[in-house]
Amino acid sequence: MVLSSKHMIRALAVVCFVPLLFSCASYNNRIGTYYDQVVSNQYEKAYLAIDHNKLLLRKRNRLLYLFEKGKMAHLLKQYDSSNLFFNEADLFIEDAHTSTKDIALGTLLNPMMETYKGEDFEKFMVHYYKALNYLGLGQGDEAMVEARRISLTSYAQQEKTGDKANKYSDDAFALMMQGIIYEQSGDMNNAFISYRNAVDLFLKNKNSWYGVGLPEQLKQDLLRTAAANGFMDEVQHYSTLLNTTLQPVAKAAGGELILFWENGLAPVKQEQDFFFSLTKNGLGNFAFTDATGTVNVPFIFDNNLNTNNIKVEDVRSLRVAFPKYMEQPVFYTQGSVSLNNARYSFEQAENVNDIAFATLKERFLKDMTKTLSRLAVKKLAEAAARANKSEKDKDEREAVATAIQVFSFVTEKADTRNWQSLPHTILYTRIPLQAGTNELTINLSGANQQTKPINLVVQGNGRLQVQNVCTLR
C-alpha cells in the first residue's frame, strides 16, 4: 500500500509525537517523586522509589541509577550496600566508551538518548563517598585503596584537559580527602604530599578553587604533616607562601574528629533555546552565528559530507536545545559545632554548585559545536529531500522533507541529566575529642533565623575519625 503525501505526513507526525509527548520535561521533572523525597529527608522512601522510576531503570541511565542508590544507601548508613553500588559505578566510569549506537542515537535523536557517562566532578565524588563508607565500616585498608584511586582519577582528568589553568583539571577537595585518608591510616608522608598538592592547586589559582577559598585548616594540616615528617624547610617555605605559622595543638586524649557537613542540593539542569544560522566567509569557511552576531561556532564536517553541496540558505535557522543549570538555594547558611564549652566553625571544602556551573561553561563551545553540526546535518538532509519543481515525485519528496523537519523538531532535546542528590556545598571542621563519650551539638541556622540543632555522639578512641552529616534541603 502506498500512502499519499498527506497521509504520510500525518503518520510520521504521530509516530514522532506520541512517544515524545513528555520530551519537554527535564530529567529532574521526570524523577520528581524520588527528588521530592530526597528534599524532605525521606531517604528510605527515596531509596525504594528509585527502583520504580522507569527512566532511572533504562540501560542508558545505569550510572545515574548507581549514583542515586549509592547515595541513599549511604545516608541510611548501609555502607556495605552503598559501596556495592559505588563500586559498580566506578567500574562503569572506568570502562565507559562511546559506542557506534550512542553516536547514531545522539545524531538522529538527541544526546539524552546516549549512555550517561557522568560529569567530571561526579567521578571524584564517588571516591569521597566510597572512602566515607570504608571508614564508617572500619576498613582502613580499603579506604587507602580509594585514596590511591583518587590519584588515578586526577591523572586521567589532567590528561583529558591538558592540565590547563582555565579548565577543571583536578579537584582540590579530592586531594584534601586523600590526605585525610592517609593521615587516618598513619601514613603521614603521603598525607603531607596530598595536602601539599591541594594547597598548590589553590595557590596556582590565586587561593581560590571554584568558589572555595584556601581553608585555614588545610594550611595547618600541610604545616603539621610537614613538621611530623621532619620537613622543616617545607614548613618554612609554606609558612611564607601562606602568610601563616604552625599553631601548636595539644594532642587530644580521645583523638580527633573531622566532620563534613553536606549542605543543600546540587543544581539541576533545565533546557534553554539558542537560535543560529549558517554563514560563509570569503575563504569558503562555514560557521554558525547567533542572532546577535556575538557567538560564532565552527561547522565541524562529517567525513561523508560534500561541502560543495552545502547552501547557506538551506540552514537559515537552527533551534538548539542546550542544558543550563538551575541553582537550588540552600536553606541553612551558617553552622558550627559545640563540644565541652568550645565552639568549632565550619569552612568550605567543596562547592559543587560552582563547579557544575563553571564546568558547563568551560565546555560550552565544544558541546555547542557538536550539537550544531548534528542539527545542520539533519537540516541539510531535509533540504536534499525537497524536490525541484521539475520532478514528478515532488509531492512525495516534499512529504519526506516535511517528515524530517517534524522529526527533527520533536526530537530536539538537551541532555538535562546529572547526579541529583549531590550536595550544594561541603564544609568541614576538625574537633579534638576527649577519651570516651563525646556529645557534640551541630548548630545550623538559616537566612530566616530558623535554627536546627543536630546531636552527635562520638566515642573518642585516641585516633582520627571521619564522619559526615547532611542537610539536603
Side-chain angles (χ1 to χ4, degrees), residues 79-80 131-143 184 463:
Y79 300 134
D80 274 330
L132 285 178
N133 287 337
Y134 285 132
L135 293 174
L137 291 166
Q139 298 175 355
D141 290 343
E142 286 79 359
Q184 197 275 341
R463 300 188 60 191

Side-chain angles (χ1 to χ4, degrees), residues 196-250:
R196 183 184 62 187
N197 289 341
V199 167
D200 286 346
L201 195 54
F202 276 103
L203 292 174
K204 181 181 177 182
N205 291 275
K206 300 179 180 179
N207 294 333
S208 180
W209 181 249
Y210 290 92
V212 176
L214 175 53
E216 291 299 319
Q217 183 60 60
L218 177 59
K219 296 178 184 179
Q220 290 300 310
D221 289 340
L222 170 61
L223 298 178
R224 179 174 43 78
T225 53
N229 284 289
F231 303 152
M232 302 316 295
D233 288 344
E234 294 280 11
V235 173
Q236 180 60 47
H237 173 69
Y238 279 99
S239 293
T240 302
L241 273 180
L242 302 174
N243 192 28
T244 190
T245 57
L246 176 60
Q247 303 298 317
V249 178

Side-chain angles (χ1 to χ4, degrees), residues 8-155:
M8 184 181 296
I9 295 171
R10 184 179 299 169
L12 284 168
V14 169
V15 169
C16 292
F17 276 112
V18 169
L20 295 164
L21 286 173
F22 53 77
S23 65
C24 60
S26 68
Y27 173 75
N28 176 257
N29 296 139
R30 294 177 63 190
I31 63 167
T33 300
Y34 162 73
Y35 190 76
D36 290 344
Q37 289 165 343
V38 172
V39 173
S40 59
N41 300 323
Q42 300 181 65
Y43 304 139
E44 189 167 352
K45 287 184 178 180
Y47 180 81
L48 296 173
I50 295 170
D51 289 306
H52 296 284
N53 187 284
K54 293 181 180 179
L55 185 62
L56 281 170
L57 293 177
R58 288 178 182 161
K59 186 177 179 180
R60 68 177 184 272
N61 295 324
R62 180 63 180 175
L63 184 58
L64 290 160
Y65 171 91
L66 296 170
F67 282 163
E68 303 298 353
K69 288 291 280 191
K71 177 62 182 292
M72 290 304 106
H74 172 80
L75 292 175
L76 293 169
K77 300 188 183 303
Q78 299 172 6
Y79 300 134
D80 274 330
S81 296
S82 178
N83 266 358
L84 286 175
F85 293 114
F86 282 134
N87 281 330
E88 185 180 340
D90 208 356
L91 290 173
F92 188 103
I93 292 168
E94 193 174 273
D95 296 337
H97 63 279
T98 302
S99 66
T100 303
K101 181 181 178 181
D102 269 348
I103 295 173
L105 288 172
T107 301
L108 296 175
L109 296 174
N110 57 68
M112 190 83 165
M113 301 302 294
E114 298 179 25
T115 300
Y116 186 76
K117 301 181 183 68
E119 296 281 0
D120 291 329
F121 62 88
E122 293 174 349
K123 300 169 186 177
F124 281 106
M125 292 304 295
V126 170
H127 297 305
Y128 164 70
Y129 286 114
K130 285 175 67 177
L132 285 178
N133 287 337
Y134 285 132
L135 293 174
L137 291 166
Q139 298 175 355
D141 290 343
E142 286 79 359
M144 286 279 282
V145 172
E146 210 54 45
R148 288 189 284 270
R149 288 190 61 80
I150 289 173
S151 292
L152 296 176
T153 302
S154 294
Y155 299 150

Side-chain angles (χ1 to χ4, degrees), residues 438-453:
N438 294 262
E439 297 181 355
L440 296 80
T441 301
I442 304 164
N443 307 291
L444 307 177
S445 61
N448 59 357
Q449 304 304 312
Q450 188 167 349
T451 60
K452 178 181 180 180

Side-chain angles (χ1 to χ4, degrees), residues 156-406:
Q157 184 63 17
Q158 290 165 17
E159 184 177 351
K160 178 180 177 180
T161 62
D163 201 19
K164 295 179 180 177
N166 61 341
K167 296 288 185 181
Y168 179 72
S169 56
D170 210 335
D171 192 284
F173 173 63
L175 295 172
M176 291 161 58
M177 186 68 188
Q178 185 181 50
I180 290 168
I181 297 168
Y182 282 130
E183 186 180 350
Q184 197 275 341
S185 71
D187 186 347
M188 299 302 282
N189 183 64
N190 276 317
F192 160 73
I193 293 171
S194 298
Y195 291 141
R196 183 184 62 187
N197 289 341
V199 167
D200 286 346
L201 195 54
F202 276 103
L203 292 174
K204 181 181 177 182
N205 291 275
K206 300 179 180 179
N207 294 333
S208 180
W209 181 249
Y210 290 92
V212 176
L214 175 53
E216 291 299 319
Q217 183 60 60
L218 177 59
K219 296 178 184 179
Q220 290 300 310
D221 289 340
L222 170 61
L223 298 178
R224 179 174 43 78
T225 53
N229 284 289
F231 303 152
M232 302 316 295
D233 288 344
E234 294 280 11
V235 173
Q236 180 60 47
H237 173 69
Y238 279 99
S239 293
T240 302
L241 273 180
L242 302 174
N243 192 28
T244 190
T245 57
L246 176 60
Q247 303 298 317
V249 178
K251 185 175 181 180
E256 293 178 296
L257 170 69
I258 292 179
L259 182 64
F260 290 107
W261 171 28
E262 298 179 21
N263 189 30
L265 283 163
V268 299
K269 287 178 183 174
Q270 299 292 338
E271 187 172 284
Q272 62 180 329
D273 286 338
F274 290 87
F275 293 91
F276 288 87
S277 58
L278 188 64
T279 60
K280 186 178 183 180
N281 64 21
L283 300 176
N285 298 318
F286 290 93
F288 300 101
T289 305
D290 74 336
T292 66
T294 57
V295 181
N296 291 283
V297 180
F299 187 176
I300 305 300
F301 295 103
D302 182 272
N303 292 332
N304 298 318
L305 191 61
N306 186 347
T307 58
N308 295 324
N309 295 331
I310 296 178
K311 298 178 180 178
V312 170
E313 57 268 25
D314 290 336
V315 193
R316 292 180 183 275
S317 180
L318 289 176
R319 179 184 71 87
V320 181
F322 207 74
K324 66 175 181 178
Y325 277 111
M326 298 291 291
E327 183 174 2
Q328 307 302 296
V330 296
F331 184 81
Y332 298 107
T333 55
Q334 292 183 327
S336 63
V337 181
S338 300
L339 175 64
N340 299 329
N341 298 317
R343 188 181 183 90
Y344 304 90
S345 299
F346 284 104
E347 291 185 277
Q348 277 199 37
E350 179 89 312
N351 192 319
V352 176
N353 182 78
D354 276 26
I355 292 175
F357 276 92
T359 52
L360 186 61
K361 183 179 180 180
E362 286 172 6
R363 67 170 193 268
F364 174 85
L365 182 60
K366 178 182 177 182
D367 288 358
M368 184 60 81
T369 300
K370 178 181 176 182
T371 301
L372 281 167
S373 299
R374 170 176 59 82
L375 291 176
V377 169
K378 288 184 180 181
K379 198 74 173 179
L380 292 170
E382 174 193 334
R386 294 193 184 278
N388 296 323
K389 293 181 179 180
S390 60
E391 293 180 342
K392 296 180 180 179
D393 58 347
K394 178 180 178 180
D395 288 345
E396 286 74 12
R397 291 173 65 86
E398 188 68 27
V400 171
T402 303
I404 293 173
Q405 184 181 44
V406 171

Side-chain angles (χ1 to χ4, degrees), residues 393-448:
D393 58 347
K394 178 180 178 180
D395 288 345
E396 286 74 12
R397 291 173 65 86
E398 188 68 27
V400 171
T402 303
I404 293 173
Q405 184 181 44
V406 171
F407 185 76
S408 297
F409 179 82
V410 299
T411 57
E412 176 57 13
K413 182 173 176 59
D415 190 350
T416 54
R417 296 172 294 177
N418 68 317
W419 186 352
Q420 305 262 292
S421 59
L422 283 179
H424 178 288
T425 310
I426 301 177
L427 304 94
Y428 81 137
T429 188
R430 194 171 188 123
I431 305 164
L433 302 173
Q434 64 184 16
T437 302
N438 294 262
E439 297 181 355
L440 296 80
T441 301
I442 304 164
N443 307 291
L444 307 177
S445 61
N448 59 357

